[in-house]
């Protein structure tokens, strides 16, 4: 006896809720320092905080971040850029302590809040190069969000393309831009976040997929 095949029903997952909350930059020299009372979004049992950490490309590497005393997990790092994530269920502000592998001549941070993650540790990519455009490519599942961050030594303005929207753009002197972007509610695709500066120079970029 044969039975008719039942139609396959696609699984649907709620998309993560992603919000940009803060950014800061400084031209001071630090190996480690703390930014105080940083906005981290509404408290929730499943609220994660993402921190991008930026400094001059080709110099020191971001090595550690704590958010409200909670150690963040390093997702991607290069000499000049890092992305970290921590589960921080309480509070709407927190002290964020950052550490580099050596003395950074200047640095910046960007901060995001995300809830509704249904998968494990976010996956991501990083890239390094020299030129006008810093870019990397990610495979993105249905409903995902992406956070991208760049350190670019190519002058006084960065423009994001490739499907992401700029959230902050900081300058330290005329020679370094530190910027972050994101997008949420994506269709399944390959995404290529790209940050273009007005002059060719060293750059470092990192991006993560949130699902």
């Amino acid at each position: 006896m044969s039975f008719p095949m039942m139609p396959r029903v696609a699984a649907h997952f709620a998309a993560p809720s992603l919000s940009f909350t803060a950014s800061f930059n400084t031209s001071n020299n630090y190996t480690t320092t703390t930014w105080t009372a940083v906005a981290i979004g509404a408290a929730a049992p499943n609220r994660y905080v993402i921190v991008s950490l930026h400094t001059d490309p080709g110099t020191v590497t971001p090595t550690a971040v704590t958010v409200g005393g909670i150690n963040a997990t390093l997702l991607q790092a290069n000499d000049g850029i890092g992305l970290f994530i921590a589960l921080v269920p309480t509070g709407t502000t927190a002290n964020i302590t950052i550490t580099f592998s050596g003395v950074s001549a200047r640095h910046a941070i960007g901060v995001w809040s995300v809830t509704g993650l249904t998968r494990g540790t976010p996956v991501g990519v990083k890239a390094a190069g020299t030129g006008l455009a810093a870019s990397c490519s990610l495979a993105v599942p249905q409903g995902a969000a992406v956070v991208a961050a760049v350190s670019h030594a190519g002058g006084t303005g960065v423009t994001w393309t490739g499907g992401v929207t700029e959230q902050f753009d900081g300058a330290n002197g005329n020679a370094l831009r530190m910027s972050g972007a994101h997008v949420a509610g994506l269709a399944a695709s390959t995404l290529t976040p790209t940050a273009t500066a007005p002059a060719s120079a060293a750059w470092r970029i990192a991006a993560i997929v949130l699902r």
Side-chain angles (χ1 to χ4, degrees), residues 16-21 50 111-114 144-149 160-168 179-186 191 193 206-208 210:
S17 176
L18 176 66
S19 299
F20 174 74
T21 61
I50 298 163
V111 184
W112 287 260
S113 171
V114 63
V146 167
V147 171
W160 285 94
T161 55
V164 294
T165 301
E166 181 181 300
Q167 302 300 312
F168 75 97
S179 189
H182 77 230
V183 63
L186 291 163
L191 198 72
I208 55 172
L210 304 162

Side-chain angles (χ1 to χ4, degrees), residues 25-35 54-56 59-60 98-100 102-108 172 176 178:
N25 73 80
T26 179
S27 58
N28 292 333
N29 301 333
Y30 294 112
T31 299
T32 185
T33 192
T34 298
W35 296 93
H54 312 244
T55 190
D56 289 321
T59 58
V60 297
I98 58 94
T99 303
F100 292 98
V103 178
S104 66
R106 47 196 169 186
H107 77 266
N172 268 317
L176 181 67
M178 308 172 185

